[in-house]
Amino acid sequence: MKKIHLIDTTLRDGEQAPGVVFSLKEKLNIAELLDKAGIPEVEVGTPAIGACEINDMKAIVAEKYKFKTMAWCRATRNDIDAAIQSGTCGINISFPVSDIHQLALGKDRKWVFKTLKETVKYASSHFEYVAIGAQDASRAEFPFLSDFIGEAIYVGASRVRIADTVGILNPMSTSRLFRKIKRNFPNGIFEFHGHNDLGMATANTFAALHTGAEAASVTVNGLGERAGNAAFEEVVMALELSSDIRHGVRTSILGELSQAVSLASGSPLPANKAVRCSKALCHESGIHTNVISKNRET
């Protein structure tokens, strides 16, 4: 039975949802519940935001939760220096790998490879764990993406994040992508980061974990920019009830965790939200209510 590694990024990518700002008290409450749930890794913030964010991250680190703490950074020395101040044990450094994103950021492929080598070397001298993110990987030309992955592994990255930054993948294309990646790099450690623009983030995450990804990043309630991210509780329960993959999460904590994030973010859960909605166990049709009253398993 395969065991995978889930990474929660509610405190980073989730807080990027428009209008959402967590107080330190709310962050610590969410972090405590994530710890109780047994999540092994949490992306606790973006230190480049400023001193307040760094102080909040330091406060979370100081609690000495069991999970590994990660900071998210752009590929700049200033961002890495800010992350060093936060005290996290690891860092996730993001690089634009699609032509679209490189052009928009005024970068090119030559810059990517030069900066990749420099930043991994610098970050490795300050952090226990250095992960590299392939931003907009789902729209990158695969030969370049493959070269990027190979170089990241060569210079010492511990893990490579394959990001579907604009949520353009579907379960079939996700599976094809990860099979190609694992065929080229059978010993590499890969994470999938899915966005929900087309409503497929959970399904894509599920597909990635079944076709090569060793890890996946998620947010509670799918909180995040635009249509959000792969929902923590949906991914966990899909793995629990619809696969033979071990996730290591205490599912009994999911309800309390979901409610806490909903309240802190000011984002009520839709009545028909998968896994965590008020009507998840409600029925109206006669055939359903008849059998459910006789045997819950129906």
Side-chain angles (χ1 to χ4, degrees):
M1 183 181 290
K2 179 181 178 181
K3 184 177 181 181
I4 54 86
H5 180 86
L6 290 178
I7 303 145
D8 186 84
T9 183
T10 305
L11 298 178
R12 196 277 297 180
D13 212 345
E15 198 184 26
Q16 288 177 203
V20 174
V21 179
F22 297 133
S23 68
L24 176 57
K25 182 179 179 180
E26 289 168 336
K27 289 179 181 180
L28 290 171
N29 183 45
I30 292 168
E32 183 177 349
L33 290 170
L34 288 169
D35 195 44
K36 287 182 179 178
I39 194 79
E41 185 176 329
V42 176
E43 210 168 44
V44 295
T46 305
I49 290 173
C52 184
E53 179 83 343
I54 291 171
N55 288 335
D56 285 358
M57 294 172 70
K58 289 169 70 174
I60 294 169
V61 172
E63 292 295 319
K64 300 188 182 302
Y65 296 116
K66 293 184 290 294
F67 54 70
K68 178 163 55 182
T69 55
M70 298 286 285
W72 186 92
C73 296
R74 296 165 298 184
T76 71
R77 181 68 69 95
N78 287 342
D79 275 28
I80 297 172
D81 286 341
I84 293 168
Q85 293 181 54
S86 74
T88 60
C89 64
I91 186 172
N92 203 316
I93 308 171
S94 182
F95 287 81
V97 295
S98 70
D99 291 342
I100 297 171
H101 278 225
Q102 285 174 20
L103 181 62
L105 295 169
K107 309 298 183 184
D108 57 24
R109 294 179 177 187
K110 183 178 179 180
W111 174 89
V112 168
F113 285 119
K114 178 178 182 291
T115 310
L116 176 61
K117 182 178 180 179
E118 293 172 351
T119 54
V120 172
K121 181 179 179 180
Y122 182 61
S124 296
S125 64
H126 295 280
F127 294 94
E128 298 173 23
Y129 196 89
V130 178
I132 293 298
Q135 178 184 320
D136 204 27
S138 49
R139 294 193 294 179
E141 292 184 6
F142 187 77
F144 175 71
L145 176 62
S146 187
D147 288 345
F148 174 82
I149 292 169
E151 184 67 9
I153 293 171
Y154 176 75
V155 298
S158 306
R159 181 177 68 225
V160 178
R161 167 180 280 177
I162 303 299
D164 184 21
T165 303
V166 296
I168 200 68
L169 290 177
N170 60 56
M172 288 72 74
S173 59
T174 301
S175 296
R176 287 194 297 269
L177 177 59
F178 273 91
R179 287 193 178 102
K180 288 170 69 176
I181 289 172
K182 290 300 287 188
R183 189 160 54 243
N184 288 1
F185 304 99
N187 297 319
I189 304 298
F190 297 97
E191 168 197 345
F192 180 67
H193 181 88
H195 282 263
N196 201 42
D197 297 73
L198 299 179
M200 292 188 281
T202 293
N204 291 342
T205 301
F206 189 86
L209 291 171
H210 279 79
T211 53
E214 288 79 15
S217 44
V218 294
T219 64
V220 179
N221 299 337
L223 189 67
E225 294 180 276
R226 307 184 313 277
N229 296 52
F232 182 9
E233 66 284 353
E234 292 177 14
V235 170
V236 166
M237 293 312 298
L239 294 173
E240 176 82 8
L241 300 175
S242 191
S243 81
D244 60 355
I245 291 178
R246 291 184 295 156
H247 51 74
V249 172
R250 297 183 186 89
T251 58
S252 60
I253 305 296
L254 293 179
E256 186 180 359
L257 177 59
S258 174
Q259 183 67 14
V261 171
S262 177
L263 290 172
S265 63
S267 305
L269 296 177
N272 63 343
K273 163 76 168 62
V275 177
R276 277 291 302 146
C277 70
S278 59
K279 296 185 178 181
L281 299 176
C282 294
H283 298 269
E284 183 179 85
S285 69
I287 189 170
H288 284 184
T289 55
N290 175 45
V291 296
I292 200 75
S293 66
K294 296 174 180 175
N295 182 352
R296 186 178 173 85
E297 291 299 310
T298 57

